[in-house]
Amino acid sequence: MTTQPTPMLQIEDLKVHLPLEEGVLKALDGVTLTLNHGQTLGLVGESGCGKSMTAQSIMRIAPRFAQMQGRINFHRASGQTLDLASLDPQGDTIRSIRGGEISMIFQEPMTSFSPLYTIGNQIIEAIRLHRTKDPKESTAIAEDMLARVGIPDASATLNKYPQQLSGGMRQRAMIAMALSCRPALLIADEPTTALDVTVQAQVLKLMRGVQAEFGMSILYITHDLGVIARMVSEVAVMYLGRIVEQSTVDDLFYAPRHPYTQALLKSIPRMGKKAKHRLESIQGSVPVPINTPTGCGFVSRCPVAIHGLCDRVNPPLVPVDNGHSVRCFLYPEVVAAAQQEGAVQHVS
Amino acid sequence: MSHDDIILQVRNLRKYYPIEQGFTRRRVGQVKAVDDVSFNLHRGEVLGLVGESGCGKTTLGRCILRAIEPTSGEVHLTTRSGSMVNLLQLNKKDLRALRREMNMVFQDPFSSLSPRMTVLEIIGEPLRAQGVAAAEVESRVKDMAERVGLNPGHLNRYPNAFSGGQRQRIVIARALATGPTFIVADEPVSALDVSIQAQILNLLQDLQEEFNLSYVFIAHDLSVVEHIADRVAVMYIGRIVELSTTEDLYLNPRHPYTEALLSSVPKPDPRLVEDPMILTGEIANPANPPSGCYFHPRCKYAQDICRQVRPELKEVTPGHSSACHFAAELELKGVPSE
């Protein structure tokens, strides 16, 4: 709809470190990410890569002892720009944003709803905090939202407890709650991972429908490349607390640049391929990000690592093509950028 | 030496769970978790068992091994000596002796390994249970560990020292320690990340070739099943609704439920614009299943007969069975092969 994409969320060099007994766990190690108005950005990666920590940092619901550095600039509808990273995680400002302007759908709807309150109770609470204090109006909004996400008999569902609904219906109620305050930004953290495929197809269709209707920006977090292909326009790939590649969804699947992305795409079994071929697997496993050495995070598993460079210097994330950025020294643009920064002196 | 090709024969297997109510535990109904399931498994074959949660695939896998006692039916296993034995009629002692020929790989490598046992003890446990001498156990465990890609120098560590993929290798080594011919693998890769999943799938395939194993491979992920299975059985509310060779099932599904399942899987290709076929509703309550064909409330092809008469699993084309009244007439859409 918009002609010129305007940024809604700009994350700059975000670092989240968790001091543990064994050492410092670098959950996020310099994440830079831009999400434009009305855009659906996918964040994909394996477990432990930091995708959920990114979401939690934006919402400021990361663990209390996490040490946070960097900026999360959120451009509000009022024109004001706010650095979410600088806010007090329990202050009034973030509380007015959380669940209002930015809301979140969690993976497991059974654990994210309270079993002690009815669905209606929990949705209406959010509406009364952010939209209207009027009990009648807020009930009407909640009922309307439930009906819109395809829950039959919405007014009866308001009085049900989460455990009385099936998994698919619970996730619909979760989406209704997240949308009830008309968020400008919706963070969906693996919203369909716990669902069966036929129900997943229903919920994915619903998510696309609500975005078309409400026009909000979505940060879509998932490990499932099939879901990414169906749901988003732009993708960022995470590995070990960093974004290693960002591009349009078409470019990512048809012209992946980073060795990790390339290997990941080859390692998934695809339907319609002749059965019984060997999958190309990535050797080793994701290292634990405690006391990580300098250099590229993927170096220990990379088939094309450049000895003496990749294991010493962490490559910067640099655009190599129109709208396609990558963090890998295989590309001369990346080497040039590192030289400019002074991280690399001379490369043969 | 009859049936020398068939290693496992399942006939009319049923597992009904009673629903009890009140202080006197009055029986008010039953859940037919597995309802009249029959199939054959050939030597060296992988049979994929797919379906959504609650369809009874795990219960079926466990009933075959008698990890759960089935309500009725027959499970014939061809033993090493070549004779066919009905596992359900064996007494405890005979069953225990046969346990060396069959085993199970579980889904979650975090809860299926005891945190208080070293890897050596874990992999050696089935050997000790079979009465293998202690001196021999260690060498056989080392051998097994090497074959599944574990460092034999790490055998004195506890499971918590290993990553998810490594733990699944331990689970597989334990299952293969006694040299079984038949394995039930219950969602062996669904708890793993994609890059690790590929390693474990390759390992399972290599081991199958090396030891000529037969697998019943239970999974909900249709792309994984297509990759590994020779034949596929689709389950819906306790019953097999379609059974065929993998290629034919994915190319020409003969049951509307299979068609919908195949269509629902998000394909990792952004240029595919086809809209998935969306099923309405969710799986029916197995304690109170619909009349006639269990799938009819969600089926867009349903006719009157589907509401009244339950279709039997019948062969539609050679080697391809479907439990649908219109299996022969319907033109269903599969996944075209590339």
Side-chain angles (χ1 to χ4, degrees):
Chain A
M1 269 185 282
T2 45
T3 44
Q4 193 71 39
T6 49
M8 136 151 311
L9 186 76
Q10 285 169 302
I11 302 178
E12 285 165 33
D13 200 25
L14 183 66
K15 290 183 177 155
V16 174
H17 292 180
L18 305 165
L20 303 176
E21 266 177 43
E22 304 93 305
V24 176
L25 190 146
K26 295 177 178 170
L28 297 184
D29 200 13
V31 168
T32 300
L33 196 65
T34 301
L35 176 62
N36 290 326
H37 274 281
Q39 187 187 41
T40 307
L41 174 71
L43 200 55
V44 65
E46 297 179 90
S47 26
C49 73
K51 7 181 237 305
S52 289
M53 186 56 89
T54 307
Q56 290 178 14
S57 304
I58 299 169
M59 292 290 270
R60 298 304 310 275
I61 51 175
R64 293 278 294 276
F65 66 98
Q67 297 158 351
M68 201 167 174
Q69 272 176 51
R71 274 180 305 280
I72 306 174
N73 287 326
F74 176 55
H75 302 278
R76 307 179 78 168
S78 59
Q80 182 200 11
T81 298
L82 203 62
D83 180 10
L84 300 179
S86 68
L87 296 177
D88 169 13
Q90 299 191 298
D92 286 341
T93 325
I94 188 72
R95 291 183 66 174
S96 74
I97 291 174
R98 207 187 274 151
E101 283 166 77
I102 306 180
S103 69
M104 187 156 168
I105 302 171
F106 296 89
Q107 177 175 160
E108 212 343 285
M110 195 59 241
T111 47
S112 39
F113 270 120
S114 163
L116 300 178
Y117 295 92
T118 61
I119 296 280
N121 236 315
Q122 299 181 55
I123 298 180
I124 290 165
E125 182 191 10
I127 297 170
R128 293 183 71 169
L129 265 172
H130 296 286
R131 274 182 80 177
T132 170
K133 293 274 182 277
D134 182 63
K136 262 197 186 140
E137 200 188 334
S138 51
T139 309
I141 294 173
E143 199 179 317
D144 174 54
M145 279 316 304
L146 285 178
R148 278 205 208 185
V149 296
I151 292 183
D153 203 4
S155 60
T157 306
L158 281 180
N159 295 318
K160 282 189 180 162
Y161 289 89
Q163 59 272 30
Q164 291 175 287
L165 302 181
S166 67
M169 284 300 150
R170 263 200 305 264
Q171 199 56 296
R172 283 168 194 267
M174 184 88 223
I175 294 171
M177 179 158 86
L179 297 178
S180 60
C181 297
R182 306 241 163 190
L185 170 62
L186 178 67
I187 301 172
D189 188 0
E190 304 260 12
T192 60
T193 306
L195 305 176
D196 279 315
V197 275
T198 59
V199 180
Q200 165 170 289
Q202 294 170 1
V203 172
L204 290 182
K205 190 179 179 195
L206 169 69
M207 292 281 298
R208 285 170 73 132
V210 293
Q211 203 221 1
E213 189 182 341
F214 294 83
M216 79 287 249
S217 314
I218 300 181
L219 181 63
Y220 201 105
I221 298 173
T222 179
H223 70 280
D224 187 331
L225 288 159
V227 172
I228 284 286
R230 192 177 281 181
M231 295 299 291
V232 310
S233 51
E234 176 104 6
V235 195
V237 182
M238 279 191 89
Y239 190 80
L240 218 62
R242 293 177 189 141
I243 309 270
V244 295
E245 182 161 9
Q246 183 170 0
S247 77
T248 62
V249 68
D250 193 80
D251 247 19
L252 192 93
F253 280 87
Y254 283 94
R257 302 295 174 89
H258 198 282
Y260 173 63
T261 318
Q262 291 168 348
L264 199 62
L265 285 167
K266 276 187 201 149
S267 69
I268 45 174
R270 290 164 190 250
M271 293 206 299
K273 281 266 158 71
K274 189 125 183 66
K276 288 268 178 176
H277 65 286
R278 267 184 84 83
L279 290 169
E280 291 184 45
S281 61
I282 309 179
Q283 51 164 329
S285 53
V286 185
V288 180
I290 294 180
N291 305 329
T292 41
T294 52
C296 171
F298 190 55
V299 69
S300 59
R301 306 173 77 189
C302 185
V304 288
I306 305 164
H307 190 71
L309 178 63
C310 298
D311 48 1
R312 284 194 9 246
V313 185
N314 176 29
L317 184 68
V318 174
V320 291
D321 202 350
N322 197 13
H324 197 143
S325 306
V326 65
R327 192 188 275 283
C328 179
F329 281 130
L330 286 181
Y331 301 92
E333 294 91 334
V334 180
V335 179
Q339 277 168 336
Q340 222 165 40
E341 278 175 21
V344 179
Q345 271 83 39
H346 47 271
V347 188
S348 52
Chain B
M1 286 295 280
S2 62
H3 303 297
D4 61 348
D5 193 26
I6 290 174
I7 188 152
L8 184 80
Q9 224 175 33
V10 176
R11 289 287 169 270
N12 311 99
L13 194 65
R14 291 184 171 85
K15 176 65 191 176
Y16 295 172
Y17 287 103
I19 305 171
E20 291 162 340
Q21 210 172 55
F23 180 68
T24 55
R25 302 180 63 93
R26 194 161 39 89
R27 212 169 146 148
V28 293
Q30 55 189 359
V31 174
K32 297 179 176 177
V34 175
D35 193 11
D36 199 7
V37 167
S38 305
F39 64 85
N40 291 338
L41 181 71
H42 300 269
R43 197 177 290 280
E45 185 186 43
V46 182
L47 177 74
L49 205 56
V50 299
E52 297 179 276
S53 28
C55 73
K57 51 190 194 301
T58 294
T59 310
L60 174 57
R62 295 192 176 187
C63 282
I64 293 171
L65 294 181
R66 267 182 86 183
I68 299 174
E69 210 56 52
T71 309
S72 69
E74 294 165 31
V75 178
H76 297 280
L77 181 77
T78 310
T79 61
R80 228 183 230 126
S81 55
S83 57
M84 265 214 157
V85 183
N86 185 354
L87 295 178
L88 304 190
Q89 282 174 351
L90 292 183
N91 61 33
K92 237 179 163 173
K93 190 167 149 263
D94 292 343
L95 180 65
R96 201 177 172 133
L98 258 189
R99 288 259 177 238
R100 75 178 68 198
E101 303 200 12
M102 52 190 189
N103 218 330
M104 189 151 185
V105 174
F106 298 93
Q107 170 173 6
D108 181 3
F110 291 87
S111 56
S112 59
L113 297 174
S114 165
R116 289 168 176 266
M117 289 164 85
T118 63
V119 173
L120 181 68
E121 288 167 336
I122 290 171
I123 303 178
E125 177 97 348
L127 291 169
R128 278 192 300 278
Q130 291 293 338
V132 176
E136 207 193 321
V137 167
E138 194 167 333
S139 71
R140 280 177 67 175
V141 169
K142 280 204 171 127
D143 181 46
M144 208 61 232
E146 231 162 314
R147 291 204 184 177
V148 299
L150 288 167
N151 183 343
H154 294 167
L155 289 180
N156 286 321
R157 300 187 179 181
Y158 289 88
N160 62 7
F162 295 87
S163 67
Q166 295 291 332
R167 281 170 186 239
Q168 200 59 307
R169 290 176 195 271
I170 299 171
V171 175
I172 292 170
R174 174 177 63 183
L176 296 181
T178 56
T181 49
F182 164 61
I183 296 281
V184 173
D186 189 358
E187 304 262 14
V189 297
S190 40
L192 307 173
D193 275 316
V194 273
S195 74
I196 309 298
Q197 186 175 313
Q199 293 174 4
I200 298 296
L201 282 174
N202 285 340
L203 174 68
L204 285 169
Q205 277 182 344
D206 293 345
L207 291 169
Q208 191 217 353
E209 279 166 30
E210 191 179 343
F211 299 106
N212 195 23
L213 296 170
S214 312
Y215 292 135
V216 168
F217 191 99
I218 303 170
H220 68 280
D221 186 330
L222 288 143
S223 14
V224 168
V225 170
E226 191 199 21
H227 177 76
I228 198 161
D230 301 301
R231 284 193 304 148
V232 179
V234 181
M235 281 187 84
Y236 192 74
I237 318 192
R239 296 177 147 251
I240 291 181
V241 296
E242 186 164 5
L243 176 65
S244 150
T245 59
T246 307
E247 230 176 306
D248 206 33
L249 185 110
Y250 282 74
L251 211 56
N252 305 305
R254 295 285 185 172
H255 195 285
Y257 177 60
T258 313
E259 181 192 35
L261 270 185
L262 291 174
S263 163
S264 300
V265 179
K267 322 277 182 306
D269 182 354
R271 288 186 191 168
L272 274 181
V273 280
E274 53 148 2
D275 219 17
M277 200 178 121
I278 308 272
L279 280 183
T280 49
E282 292 174 33
I283 292 192
N285 179 1
N288 184 19
S291 63
C293 173
Y294 288 170
F295 187 61
H296 88 255
R298 302 174 79 188
C299 181
K300 65 176 178 183
Y301 310 103
Q303 308 275 333
D304 274 343
I305 184 174
C306 304
R307 288 173 198 102
Q308 289 145 16
V309 184
R310 189 163 69 188
E312 294 299 321
L313 187 67
K314 280 199 300 262
E315 199 162 67
V316 192
T317 54
H320 196 147
S321 312
S322 164
C324 174
H325 290 301
F326 301 100
E329 289 111 84
L330 289 175
E331 295 251 336
L332 302 176
K333 216 173 128 220
V335 182
S337 61
E338 282 170 24

